[in-house]
Amino acid sequence: MKVGAHVSISGSRVSSDEETPPYSDIRNAVHRQLAFGGNCGQVFTTSPQVWAQPEIGEDAAEGFQEATDEKLEGPWVIHSAYLVNLCTPKEDLRRKSKESMQAELDAAERLDIPYVNVHLGAHTGAGVEGGLDNAAGVIDDLDVPEDVTILIESDAGSGTKLGGEFEHLAGIIDRTETDIGICIDTAHTLVAGNDLTTPEAVDETIGRFDDEVGLEYLEYLHLNDSKHDVGTHKDEHAHIGEGYIGEDGMKAIVNHPDLRALPFALETPTEDGRGFAWNIQKVKELREE
């Protein structure tokens, strides 16, 4: 089973005996993933809240690759900055989004990471069709390395944000000339209006995704429970099995024949004395051999 967490690359230590550099370094991600019990996962290469370029030295890149090959199953995925908005009609934001995405794609190639994950963003008045056209334009302007794939993440769907409906995900695939994939976030999918609370509901939702988008495009899952119910469009993650998806829904997801071979990256909270280690272990307990 490929399961891990979205881990920090900072030098702060998970445990007193963890041998990580005392500063931000991509190699820290491997040490931290191991400490949580994961074998794949997700990272930010820089702060997601600002426009910043990844700063990854040659030694750090080589060390990350070597440690990943030796100690993890993989694959990693890079999550793009939160500021990126592919759907925007604003030229300045479009330019910054493109530059940020290109930097992440180049970092992925350097680190031998196969995926860069991004939200479509908000159309802010351009409309659904206009927003999807804008997003496709940005994607097709990028120089995507041969061994890197852009993943469009499903969204909670609040306001003018796109990606909450399967139709939006199909729409961007149809519009772009670039080979892209999809990352489904289970919490986002639930609050966007798709039931995942029972085995029957999971089957139905996955069936609709296959009909509208195509399971062949699904490459990664963000495995998160939700603090809010179906159709609320509120994005707040919960511990695995303790939110509105619940244990029955989560068990159905991680064991579903169309999903179980995919990598799962957790973005669950650290609260109530529990964090990634507890949630990864919970997922492993839900998995059936």
Side-chain angles (χ1 to χ4, degrees), residues 98-288:
K98 178 184 172 183
E99 291 174 353
S100 179
M101 281 294 294
Q102 188 63 60
E104 300 290 15
L105 290 166
D106 294 341
E109 181 181 36
R110 188 176 187 188
L111 294 167
D112 199 24
I113 291 177
Y115 301 114
V116 173
N117 181 75
V118 65
H119 294 265
L120 284 172
H123 67 69
T124 61
V128 173
E129 299 300 315
L132 292 173
D133 288 342
N134 291 339
V138 174
I139 292 171
D140 287 340
D141 280 345
L142 294 168
D143 182 11
V144 183
E146 183 177 355
D147 295 327
V148 180
T149 299
I150 296 172
L151 300 183
I152 304 300
E153 181 179 344
S154 63
D155 199 271
S158 62
T160 65
K161 291 181 179 179
L162 300 184
E165 298 181 22
F166 293 160
E167 182 180 356
H168 299 164
L169 303 177
I172 190 63
I173 291 170
D174 290 342
R175 283 167 170 79
T176 182
E177 297 178 0
T178 305
D179 290 332
I180 61 175
I182 300 297
C183 172
I184 285 293
D185 184 304
T186 54
H188 297 171
T189 299
L190 181 86
V191 300
N194 306 282
D195 195 355
L196 293 170
T197 60
T198 66
E200 295 77 17
V202 170
D203 272 338
E204 193 276 332
T205 293
I206 292 173
R208 280 193 295 105
F209 177 89
D210 192 23
D211 290 341
E212 297 182 35
V213 183
L215 281 166
E216 65 270 23
Y217 293 102
L218 184 58
E219 308 236 11
Y220 223 108
L221 266 81
H222 285 172
L223 191 66
N224 301 303
D225 213 325
S226 172
K227 292 186 178 181
H228 303 281
D229 207 348
V230 180
T232 57
H233 302 290
K234 295 180 179 180
D235 182 10
E236 194 174 7
H237 298 172
H239 292 308
I240 298 297
E242 297 195 357
Y244 277 88
I245 294 177
E247 194 163 303
D248 288 346
M250 279 293 167
K251 186 174 183 179
I253 291 168
V254 301
N255 290 294
H256 195 281
D258 291 325
L259 306 180
R260 60 182 289 124
L262 294 173
F264 300 91
L266 278 63
E267 301 166 321
T268 46
T270 298
E271 59 187 17
D272 305 323
R274 292 171 291 177
F276 284 137
W278 185 92
N279 282 279
I280 289 173
Q281 181 58 36
K282 181 68 174 181
V283 173
K284 293 177 179 178
E285 291 171 1
L286 293 174
R287 183 63 168 243
E288 298 172 346

Side-chain angles (χ1 to χ4, degrees), residues 46-101:
T46 186
S47 171
Q49 306 285 0
V50 298
W51 296 112
Q53 299 287 314
E55 296 181 1
I56 303 169
E58 183 176 346
D59 288 345
E62 290 180 357
F64 171 83
Q65 290 179 354
E66 291 173 0
T68 294
D69 290 343
E70 292 175 4
K71 300 177 180 180
L72 300 179
E73 294 293 326
W76 287 102
V77 56
I78 292 174
H79 196 300
S80 63
Y82 292 139
L83 300 177
V84 169
N85 187 343
L86 302 183
C87 293
T88 182
K90 300 175 182 178
E91 285 301 321
D92 185 54
L93 181 54
R94 178 187 178 93
R95 175 183 58 80
K96 290 180 179 178
S97 297
K98 178 184 172 183
E99 291 174 353
S100 179
M101 281 294 294

